[in-house]
Amino acid sequence: MSEYVIPPVTLPSLAIVDQAARFPIRRVFCVGRNYSEHAREMGHDPDREPPFFFMKPADAVVPATGTLAYPPLTEDLHHEVELVVAIGKGGTRISPSAALDHVYGYAVGLDLTRRDIQAQAKKMGRPWEWAKAFDASGPSTPLIPASKLGHPSSGKIWLKVNGEERQQGDLADQIWPVQDVIAYVSQSVELQAGDVIFTGTPAGVGALKPGDVVTAGIDGIAQLHMTVGQR
Ligand code: MN
């Protein structure tokens, strides 16, 4: 007798650099605004208002190679390059000083956004899922374990479209650094091994069109290269 009435989904996972074993993904938390210049460009006061979060489904995280799938229902697909943090050890009410012990590793990802749908959701007080949580909306590079990389607190974060620089910032400019973000999430829910956090994007977000070549990276961590697919 089978345990499930339909076949269960394959557990979403991320590759790990130089290792055959993969990182199993449980949930994906995303920080809304975490760089002052990006908060300003979106029309908000960046003065350390508490961080806020939204989520993507675990299987939104896909390898950041090859074709970047252009999603339906949008005319304004935006790129947001972000530091991705993979949690290796869970906990509740984690203190910022202990938070980095909970990190398995880091990667570079894109928080792809249907900006037109998000704008409408903001205007109407609706949730953000239709703007943020679509299929393949979180491409990510393989993880680099913190045991090899350490815990970078600075480094240029950038994104180019067709070779032209669009986004630029530095991890040191994060309003809420990784340890604070982990502390905040763990106050709301029990953070668990396998959780992944997209930590927000620097200024310069903009639209992608079919055929665009996207390159992005964080110096000292990783780079990605994708081509935007057809609508
Ligand atoms: Mn984002």
Side-chain angles (χ1 to χ4, degrees):
M1 195 174 74
S2 180
E3 194 178 354
Y4 299 105
V5 296
I6 56 170
V9 297
T10 305
L11 188 63
S13 63
L14 260 178
I16 300 170
V17 168
D18 295 334
Q19 203 171 310
R22 298 176 66 86
F23 182 88
I25 302 176
R26 184 170 185 275
R27 296 174 291 193
V28 180
F29 297 92
C30 306
V31 182
R33 284 183 279 272
N34 204 17
Y35 292 79
S36 301
E37 289 304 318
H38 174 62
R40 281 192 201 96
E41 78 178 347
M42 299 303 286
H44 297 275
D45 179 357
D47 285 344
R48 253 175 111 84
E49 37 182 72
F52 69 94
F53 297 86
F54 59 90
M55 299 186 74
K56 292 179 187 279
D59 62 3
V61 178
V62 295
T65 57
T67 301
L68 188 162
Y70 198 102
L73 297 182
T74 186
E75 300 293 322
D76 199 19
L77 175 66
H78 271 211
H79 53 76
E80 298 191 358
V81 60
E82 310 204 352
L83 172 69
V84 176
V85 179
I87 300 298
K89 188 177 78 172
T92 50
R93 296 181 200 163
I94 299 166
S95 69
S97 62
L100 295 182
D101 296 340
H102 293 257
V103 175
Y104 174 80
Y106 298 93
V108 178
L110 299 178
D111 166 19
L112 296 173
T113 302
R114 296 193 275 215
R115 194 71 76 200
D116 39 7
I117 292 182
Q118 187 193 32
Q120 188 184 37
K122 286 178 176 176
K123 196 163 68 186
M124 303 187 76
R126 289 177 178 164
W128 282 14
E129 277 85 355
W130 250 227
K132 291 286 198 178
F134 53 89
D135 295 342
S137 57
S140 175
T141 68
L143 286 170
I144 303 99
S147 58
K148 287 185 184 165
L149 181 69
H151 297 280
S153 58
S154 65
K156 187 180 168 188
I157 176 169
W158 55 271
L159 181 142
K160 294 178 182 177
V161 177
N162 303 324
E164 187 180 315
E165 191 153 76
R166 291 273 193 91
Q167 290 192 258
Q168 196 198 314
D170 195 289
L171 293 185
D173 299 335
Q174 288 192 331
I175 300 170
W176 303 97
V178 171
Q179 59 267 33
D180 290 354
V181 169
I182 290 171
Y184 261 97
V185 174
S186 75
Q187 286 171 18
S188 172
V189 295
E190 181 180 354
L191 201 58
Q192 299 209 25
D195 288 338
V196 167
I197 306 173
F198 280 59
T199 61
T201 199
V205 300
L208 294 170
K209 298 194 167 39
D212 280 347
V213 174
V214 181
T215 51
I218 302 174
D219 290 356
I221 301 182
Q223 283 192 29
L224 62 83
H225 179 110
M226 301 183 82
T227 302
V228 181
Q230 297 304 307
R231 289 177 207 227

